[in-house]
Amino acid sequence: MNSSRNHHRSDLVRIATASMRERGLEPEFSPRVMEQLATITGTGRESGAQISNLTGLLWCSIDNDDSLDLDQLTFCELLADGAVKLRVAIADVDALVGKATPIDDHAHLNTTSVYTSARIFPMLPERLSTDLTSLNAGEDRLALVTEMVFSANATLVSSSVCRAMVRNRAKLAYDAAAAWIEGTGALPAAAAAVPGMEAQLRMQDNLAQQLRAQRREQGSLEFETFQPRAVFEGEKVIDIRQQAHNRARQLIEEVMIATNGCTARFLALHGGASLRRVVRSPERWLRIVELARQYGVALPPEPDSQALAGFLAKRHKADPLRFPDLSLVIVKLMGSGEYVVEMPGSAPIGHFGLAVRNYTHSTAPNRRFPDLITSRILKAVLTGQPAPYSSAELADLALHCTGQEDAAQKVERQMRKSEAALLLEARVGQRFEGIVTGSTADGVWVRIFSPPAEGKLVKGMAGLQVGEKVRVKLESTNVERGFIDFVRVE
């Protein structure tokens, strides 16, 4: 049933904070963290022959409209014979956040920033993640730079890693950058103000699209998941919008995948243990085969990412309306990603979904603890220092980070449900068009199209099949628990 009062953004913050604690995540920074933070008076500063000065390059960042924790910058240059050199700079968070300090302990506990629409729970204090360790526009920052050379057909020729000082010349946002790339909008003002940045972005986009096509040929899986976010106007939720996967997002996705692969290979080459991000070959592959058979497609009896990618591409083209629901089913059958330790000389497990053999998380040290771990290991290799973590420590961290990431995702999923319930609580009795997304022993689930929200069908379930369009009436909402109940109407 509906609550006796209307809910607001502050209620979502309260619910999210409680959900964090219930799942073993700490929503607030301790006094010890704040004491350490007070001793940090400026950005990381180091000099010497091992720190390259790359501040003169046309670096740019592309992130969400509201992102202030900037982890990476990108830069391309054209070489002879159509080859391209891509540089990706990653914030050197370790320069200010030492291992086993109070700030590091908090980051280790949560292992990730948790993003809900009403409140972000950052892994690091915002004075660091959005300022002193963020690659902010117009500021010199220490970074780890991966340099990759690709041939004219986007084949990786060589790669290396170095430490450097960099400066962000243009802070850009996904949607505005994508509108320009796709020809539906003007060049963003931040890019237009920098001579040469327009050509720079075109070069990055061209390379990213080549890399994307190459990964598709190798069997990279393309999903379309249902993850709408609430839009606020002060304390009030005014809308829920599904995030578009546009060309600018694809650009960053591709160069980060390339960077993570080169980082993994660099660490393997230098013979130390490292933390890898893997998605194993699906143990429930035969259930995926059976699902594909229902659509008239025969998949091989053994896991085959290329065959699965082909099936997904056909279904997306044939039925885009239902594709998010099919994507979710396949993702669940594949199993979630995990962190593992790779020892020197061992065969890489790989990432089944991305169709890559060598993969780590290294590109978001302000937001993910595994990336900070990898950053420290990289710096030790580059400076000739002992490894900062033993193999036993890494094994414990792999299990811990996998578990805490799962907890964070559960918080985010719960809050998306509560956000939708809040938006809809004033619309009880209204009717909506929707589609049946699931049918289990617990009930039948329906996703309505506008606003994009999912709820349970509590009356009129008989005879419905997954994928069937339905008309429903909103019966009740429960913001605290994230429940939305519908009844079927004609």
Side-chain angles (χ1 to χ4, degrees):
M1 60 184 295
N2 294 328
S3 303
S4 58
R5 66 181 181 89
N6 290 331
H7 290 76
H8 303 90
R9 183 175 190 158
S10 56
D11 293 297
L12 292 177
V13 172
R14 171 179 52 77
I15 295 166
T17 302
S19 180
M20 290 275 288
R21 292 199 170 101
E22 286 169 8
R23 290 175 169 82
L25 301 167
E26 178 50 60
E28 311 297 346
F29 293 107
S30 70
R32 291 181 65 243
V33 168
M34 303 315 291
E35 288 169 8
Q36 181 190 352
L37 185 64
T39 69
I40 300 174
T41 58
T43 60
R45 293 288 172 181
E46 292 184 43
S47 59
Q50 64 176 359
I51 310 292
S52 301
N53 185 354
L54 300 181
T55 57
L57 302 182
L58 293 183
W59 297 103
C60 68
S61 63
I62 311 177
D63 215 311
N64 291 309
D65 289 30
D66 56 354
S67 289
L68 299 175
D69 48 350
L70 305 181
D71 280 300
Q72 67 264 331
L73 306 178
T74 52
F75 170 75
C76 265
E77 59 182 301
L78 193 62
L79 305 178
D81 302 320
V84 174
K85 179 184 289 186
L86 168 68
R87 289 188 177 99
V88 177
I90 305 301
D92 186 353
V93 173
D94 176 65
L96 289 181
V97 181
K99 181 187 175 188
T101 59
I103 293 175
D104 189 61
D105 289 344
H106 179 93
H108 169 241
L109 173 62
N110 283 3
T111 79
T112 182
S113 294
V114 181
Y115 294 91
T116 75
S117 295
R119 180 186 170 186
I120 294 171
F121 299 89
M123 183 182 80
L124 301 175
E126 289 186 341
R127 182 163 167 260
L128 295 180
S129 62
T130 69
D131 183 9
L132 300 181
T133 58
S134 177
L135 300 177
N136 291 347
E139 301 288 344
D140 290 355
R141 294 287 189 265
L142 279 172
L144 286 161
V145 176
T146 300
E147 181 180 290
M148 297 159 273
V149 175
F150 295 92
S151 66
N153 66 356
T155 299
L156 182 66
V157 176
S158 65
S159 66
S160 61
V161 182
C162 70
R163 301 186 68 200
M165 191 69 73
V166 299
R167 182 185 302 150
N168 186 354
R169 299 302 187 89
K171 179 182 183 292
L172 306 174
Y174 285 129
D175 291 347
W180 172 73
I181 291 171
E182 295 164 4
T184 61
L187 181 67
V194 181
M197 188 59 74
E198 179 175 0
Q200 176 63 215
L201 290 171
R202 287 289 184 207
M203 198 183 315
Q204 292 187 28
D205 174 60
N206 289 338
L207 175 62
Q209 289 303 310
Q210 283 182 287
L211 293 173
R212 188 174 183 81
Q214 195 174 80
R215 284 199 310 111
R216 279 201 299 265
E217 291 174 2
Q218 294 166 351
S220 173
L221 307 180
E222 302 222 4
F223 298 108
E224 186 177 301
T225 54
F226 181 65
Q227 294 185 338
R229 297 292 300 273
V231 179
F232 291 92
E233 193 174 85
E235 274 282 291
K236 186 178 179 182
V237 177
I238 60 171
D239 198 4
I240 293 179
R241 295 173 189 163
Q242 177 75 339
Q243 192 176 78
H245 192 59
N246 55 42
R247 282 275 284 272
R249 292 182 185 278
Q250 291 172 6
L251 189 164
I252 295 302
E253 180 180 276
E254 294 304 325
V255 299
M256 294 310 124
I257 290 172
T259 303
N260 284 327
C262 288
T263 300
R265 285 187 289 272
F266 179 86
L267 292 176
L269 181 66
H270 288 82
S274 61
L275 203 60
R276 295 293 182 102
R277 177 66 174 179
V278 305
V279 173
R280 301 174 188 272
S281 293
E283 293 181 0
R284 291 177 287 182
W285 176 256
L286 292 181
R287 291 184 62 185
I288 295 176
V289 171
E290 177 58 33
L291 178 64
R293 187 178 293 121
Q294 296 174 19
Y295 292 93
V297 175
L299 293 178
E302 298 296 326
D304 185 323
S305 62
Q306 286 183 315
L308 181 55
F311 164 66
L312 289 170
K314 289 177 182 175
R315 292 312 309 162
H316 185 272
K317 184 177 181 179
D319 194 353
L321 179 66
R322 295 169 177 81
F323 188 69
D325 308 306
L326 174 63
S327 292
L328 180 59
V329 173
I330 297 291
V331 167
K332 287 181 177 179
L333 290 175
M334 282 179 56
S336 58
E338 60 183 298
Y339 294 101
V340 301
V341 179
E342 180 165 306
M343 301 302 295
S346 62
I349 296 171
H351 195 298
F352 185 84
L354 296 177
V356 293
R357 294 295 296 163
N358 294 279
Y359 197 72
T360 188
H361 270 171
S362 66
T363 58
N366 276 305
R367 313 178 194 191
R368 286 189 308 230
F369 195 61
D371 304 57
L372 181 53
I373 292 169
T374 298
S375 175
R376 290 174 176 151
I377 297 172
L378 278 173
K379 286 175 67 176
V381 170
L382 292 170
T383 57
Q385 300 297 311
Y389 300 93
S390 68
S391 298
E393 279 183 291
L394 286 177
D396 289 342
L397 285 166
L399 287 172
H400 174 73
C401 291
T402 298
Q404 294 299 79
E405 181 184 87
D406 180 64
Q409 289 174 349
K410 287 177 179 176
V411 171
E412 292 172 353
R413 282 198 296 269
Q414 177 185 337
M415 293 314 300
R416 285 196 293 270
K417 294 176 181 178
S418 289
E419 291 158 10
L422 193 158
L423 178 67
L424 289 170
E425 71 176 347
R427 301 178 66 177
V428 170
Q430 292 186 18
R431 301 186 177 204
F432 303 89
E433 302 293 333
I435 188 171
V436 178
T437 57
S439 179
T440 68
D442 295 328
V444 173
W445 302 89
V446 170
R447 170 167 57 88
I448 60 174
F449 302 134
S450 182
E454 190 170 52
K456 189 175 183 180
L457 198 59
V458 295
K459 192 181 300 181
M461 297 86 76
L464 285 177
Q465 301 293 321
V466 172
E468 186 174 344
K469 288 185 179 181
V470 291
R471 185 166 173 78
V472 296
K473 183 177 73 173
L474 180 59
E475 181 83 350
S476 65
T477 64
N478 186 315
V479 175
E480 301 290 330
R481 303 181 69 181
F483 290 173
I484 298 172
D485 290 342
F486 297 113
V487 297
R488 185 182 178 185
V489 295
E490 297 301 329

